[in-house]
Amino acid sequence: MTKISSAPDLAARPRLRAASKRSLATSLSILDAAEILFAERGYDGASVRDIAAAAGAQIASVSFHHGSKEALFARVVERRAKELSRLRLEALAAAKARPGPLTLEAVLEAFLRPYLEKAGLHGSGAGDPQWLAYARLMAIVSADARWHAISERCFDPTAGLFIAEIARLFPKADTARIAVAFVFSVAAMLSLSTSRWRIHALSPTAPAAAGMDDLANGLVRFCEAGFRAALDG
Amino acid sequence: MTKISSAPDLAARPRLRAASKRSLATSLSILDAAEILFAERGYDGASVRDIAAAAGAQIASVSFHHGSKEALFARVVERRAKELSRLRLEALAAAKARPGPLTLEAVLEAFLRPYLEKAGLHGSGAGDPQWLAYARLMAIVSADARWHAISERCFDPTAGLFIAEIARLFPKADTARIAVAFVFSVAAMLSLSTSRWRIHALSPTAPAAAGMDDLANGLVRFCEAGFRAALDG
DNA sequence: GTCTATATGTAGATAGAC
DNA sequence: GTCTATCTACATATAGAC
């Protein structure tokens, strides 16, 4: 297994001038291919060679644009983290701006819906295949202690804000319990990316493509009820 | 990445006579080491060489006793699956034998407690390190479509029985919804093996070692409430 | 910035002596 | 059954021509 250094060099080398159009295209297609392959096969399972081949690039271009494999992985994860956080925080702000008191359901929706929508798990449209891969990638990062540092940088700050928001809704609840329920909810959310095959294996009658909205609504209801039960006791 | 064949040879070669004591010990120590390393690093991240070294065995012994790496992985997963299923089904039978009507909570407890207990996540004792590793391994198998076949053999039959039991408790509920809630619950359960570090990262005040029982009880309450909400609608 | 060629390490698997 | 030695393939990474 590759050793993970604690502070990877994120840039291959300092960029001295603006990159050309072609250079940018190469760099991007490498990121896209890496996103797909890391999501499909995991960090160790996806080779830089295969990533370069899938991107239609030379293997040396990968090092040139993104440095080490580890730095490439971090870049892939970081690339969409900001947008996802922005969508979640915007949804939270919108929920708070609505008249009437803020509800737990609204807070959970604000956190879960952007993920589900981007991953094509509900709403209209099939979903961007890159975002679909990214959704799986988040599950990989979340489940592996090796990527703790990346998770802390990319996801935990926003998660912390949502937990704080929920703590305001339940002033008497123990923060630790909120964090536990939050982790359960995230696990359930991510299972839609990693374990949809299991749902169909376990339920012969489960709708194949239809019922995506059902899945998404079911997730929110499941988590909200779970949260209330966890915080009431 | 290694290609996964659809029907791996599980035995290196047909066994013609009883194995010697030393042979059994070697075979076992390889399984134990593989369990730990696969759980820590994943299938691709753990090398057969490292497994052999950790077992204090030669690399050639691994092939001799367990065949290919893929077959070794399957054996490691299968080894404890039977015992876990037995514990779960015994707990379910005991719940049904108790006076009074069977409750959803009792069914979920019967499924979740054996896992939590074996993984050392609640109750007395620190938990067998081998079972702790196995609990992580189950998360790896569940999240990766590559191990679909193993999951189908080892875990889905028992899961199907529990789903059928829940379906009897909620005759009007859609089976597909039960399966979805079940997958959410399993994901939450497994997150206790893969994401406990996240709980502590998100909650500065979370109890470090204490509160294991809290975690376990919280899981059951979370899942039960989630189930009811998912099946009521 | 891109490409060829290569350096260097490690992977899984097995042949054959003991 | 175990052990040494080795085969072959593939991994990451980089040097240097263009």
Side-chain angles (χ1 to χ4, degrees), chain A residues 47-49 60 63 68-69:
Chain A
S47 74
V48 176
R49 298 175 111 79
S63 315
S68 71
K69 182 185 187 181

Side-chain angles (χ1 to χ4, degrees), chain B residues 129-143:
Chain B
Q130 293 294 337
W131 269 99
L132 198 104
Y134 188 71
R136 288 189 58 87
L137 205 53
M138 290 174 68
I140 289 174
V141 171
S142 277

Side-chain angles (χ1 to χ4, degrees), chain B:
Chain B
M1 183 176 61
T2 321
K3 289 278 172 52
I4 301 302
S5 65
S6 49
D9 286 336
L10 289 186
R13 62 197 68 184
R15 164 114 35 221
L16 298 177
R17 68 188 67 197
S20 74
K21 226 177 205 173
R22 177 155 174 238
S23 170
L24 263 182
T26 303
S27 173
L28 262 184
S29 70
I30 290 171
L31 284 180
D32 286 344
E35 190 164 60
I36 302 283
L37 290 182
F38 280 140
E40 273 178 6
R41 311 179 188 174
Y43 180 80
D44 294 297
S47 74
V48 175
R49 297 177 114 82
D50 288 350
I51 290 169
Q58 296 300 321
I59 189 172
S61 302
V62 177
S63 316
F64 178 81
H65 286 284
H66 304 288
S68 70
K69 183 185 187 181
E70 188 190 332
L72 171 63
F73 184 81
R75 274 205 188 170
V76 168
V77 176
E78 281 162 357
R79 177 167 63 144
R80 301 194 197 279
K82 263 210 170 109
E83 181 176 357
L84 185 58
S85 280
R86 188 180 51 75
L87 290 171
R88 283 171 165 162
L89 293 175
E90 280 174 10
L92 180 59
K96 289 167 88 168
R98 279 196 290 269
L102 187 62
T103 65
L104 173 63
E105 187 193 358
V107 175
L108 289 176
E109 288 253 359
F111 188 85
L112 297 172
R113 290 284 176 197
Y115 177 94
L116 298 170
E117 236 164 79
K118 283 296 185 184
L121 287 166
H122 96 124
S124 54
D128 180 350
Q130 293 294 337
W131 269 99
L132 198 104
Y134 188 71
R136 288 189 58 87
L137 205 53
M138 290 174 68
I140 289 174
V141 171
S142 277
D144 195 333
R146 196 176 174 186
W147 307 119
H148 190 141
I150 292 182
S151 181
E152 236 166 33
R153 267 204 311 277
C154 294
F155 306 121
D156 285 6
T158 302
L161 292 176
F162 275 82
I163 288 177
E165 200 62 54
I166 294 172
R168 267 192 284 280
L169 289 179
F170 295 82
K172 280 176 297 192
D174 181 3
T175 314
R177 287 200 175 183
I178 300 178
V180 171
F182 193 85
V183 166
F184 289 162
S185 300
V186 170
M189 174 189 83
L190 296 172
S191 78
L192 286 179
S193 288
T194 59
S195 304
R196 276 231 305 292
W197 56 273
R198 260 207 118 196
I199 293 177
H200 293 99
L202 290 175
S203 159
T205 70
M212 283 299 202
D213 279 17
D214 251 33
L215 237 47
N217 292 331
L219 173 67
V220 176
R221 294 158 54 90
F222 186 93
C223 294
E224 196 218 342
F227 248 105
R228 289 196 186 282
L231 301 187
D232 273 3

Side-chain angles (χ1 to χ4, degrees), chain A residues 66-196:
Chain A
H66 304 289
S68 71
K69 182 185 187 181
E70 188 189 333
L72 172 63
F73 184 81
R75 274 207 188 170
V76 168
V77 176
E78 280 161 359
R79 176 166 64 145
R80 302 193 197 280
K82 263 210 169 111
E83 181 177 356
L84 185 59
S85 280
R86 187 181 51 74
L87 290 171
R88 283 171 164 163
L89 293 175
E90 280 174 9
L92 180 60
K96 290 167 88 168
R98 279 198 289 271
L102 187 62
T103 64
L104 174 63
E105 188 193 358
V107 174
L108 289 176
E109 288 254 357
F111 188 85
L112 297 172
R113 289 284 177 198
Y115 176 93
L116 298 170
E117 236 164 77
K118 283 296 184 185
L121 288 167
H122 94 122
S124 54
D128 180 349
Q130 294 293 149
W131 269 100
L132 197 103
Y134 188 72
R136 287 189 58 88
L137 206 52
M138 290 174 69
I140 289 173
V141 171
S142 277
D144 196 333
R146 197 175 173 188
W147 307 119
H148 191 142
I150 292 182
S151 181
E152 235 167 34
R153 268 203 311 277
C154 294
F155 306 120
D156 284 5
T158 302
L161 291 176
F162 275 82
I163 287 177
E165 200 62 53
I166 294 172
R168 267 192 286 280
L169 289 179
F170 296 83
K172 280 175 296 191
D174 181 2
T175 314
R177 287 199 177 185
I178 300 178
V180 171
F182 194 83
V183 166
F184 289 162
S185 299
V186 170
M189 174 189 83
L190 296 172
S191 77
L192 286 179
S193 288
T194 58
S195 304
R196 275 230 306 293

